[in-house]
Amino acid sequence: MKVLKTGAMAFRILKQLHGDDGRAQIAIEFISLLSVGLLISLLFVSAIGAEIKDRFSEREYSMLQDLGYSIQNELNLAYRVEQGYSRVIELPPDLDGVQYSVQNSQRTLTLSTEKHQFSLSIPPVFGSFSKGANTLTNLNGTVFLAG
């Protein structure tokens, strides 16, 4: 009878140990799967964020190019037309919320943002651009710029 009682006690002890180990193992597996899921989600969100950042950067550069080509076309027109030509062009205060700057030397136009720079060749121009109204004037075949 003592053997039977000792065996039953051993069985209960083993059952408790395996039962606790089973619950602990399930908890560890759950935490492991949850961690893998969170890691995959984090990588996915990070990849999407990088793609969105790239798209905004491309859009910013495209707006800079568009403005640059527009200014270049206006300067070419002012250079090629007859003497006395005068036209007012407007430079926006920003490019959809992105701050930019415009510099020109006698033959180069450079537009810059914090992330990008875009340069174009232009006809000889005297004067500097400013945001807002700029007047282009052709006097004796020379383009003057008053901003």
Side-chain angles (χ1 to χ4, degrees), residues 22-135:
R23 283 189 228 139
Q25 182 178 353
I26 289 171
I28 290 171
E29 288 175 0
F30 175 74
I31 290 172
S32 297
L33 288 174
L34 185 64
S35 298
V36 168
L38 288 174
L39 180 63
I40 289 171
S41 298
L42 181 64
L43 291 174
F44 182 71
V45 168
S46 176
I48 289 174
E51 182 65 26
I52 289 171
K53 186 177 177 182
D54 287 346
R55 299 257 171 135
F56 277 119
S57 181
E58 289 172 8
R59 183 171 176 262
E60 181 179 307
Y61 188 70
S62 177
M63 289 187 300
L64 199 63
Q65 282 182 314
D66 289 346
L67 180 60
Y69 287 132
S70 176
I71 294 170
Q72 183 187 43
N73 288 338
E74 290 289 344
L75 292 172
N76 285 336
L77 178 65
Y79 184 72
R80 283 185 261 155
V81 296
E82 297 176 13
Q83 189 217 301
Y85 173 85
S86 183
R87 180 177 171 133
V88 176
I89 61 171
E90 285 280 330
L91 296 185
D94 57 42
L95 301 173
D96 268 354
V98 177
Q99 294 300 315
Y100 73 98
S101 63
V102 181
Q103 291 90 29
N104 60 296
S105 63
Q106 194 172 7
R107 302 284 249 145
T108 305
L109 173 68
T110 303
L111 293 99
S112 304
T113 64
E114 198 173 292
K115 298 177 184 175
H116 302 286
Q117 185 171 350
F118 183 65
S119 295
L120 294 161
S121 64
I122 55 174
V125 176
F126 295 95
S128 297
F129 281 101
S130 63
K131 294 178 183 178
N134 293 272
T135 305

